[in-house]
Amino acid sequence: MKSLSRLFVSVCLMLATDLFAQISDSSNPTDDLLPSIESFFQRTARQHQEKLWLHLDKPYYGAG
């Protein structure tokens, strides 16, 4: 009986913690990420692009 009540209390605490973790202030949490995301895409656009080489002289290529 004692272990059942400990289990119940543990489950209640986990649920309460999860519910309170979802509550945030009125600001959008993604606002902090936007500058870093934009700079990533700007750096990617400035870098040298990879070239893709297609070898079409054989019907298939196998590993090894």
Side-chain angles (χ1 to χ4, degrees), residues 2-58:
K2 192 173 184 180
S3 64
L4 185 61
S5 63
R6 284 185 181 179
L7 178 66
F8 178 73
V9 170
S10 298
V11 169
C12 288
L13 285 174
M14 284 189 272
L15 289 174
T17 305
D18 188 42
L19 289 175
F20 288 120
Q22 299 297 321
I23 298 172
S24 65
D25 58 351
S26 61
S27 68
N28 192 353
T30 58
D31 289 343
D32 298 335
L33 295 175
L34 286 178
S36 61
I37 293 171
E38 289 174 352
S39 68
F40 170 77
F41 283 110
Q42 289 171 355
R43 280 183 283 142
T44 306
R46 286 190 304 251
Q47 289 179 351
H48 181 69
Q49 296 294 318
E50 288 187 35
K51 293 182 180 178
L52 178 66
W53 297 94
L54 295 176
H55 297 273
L56 302 173
D57 58 337
K58 295 182 183 177

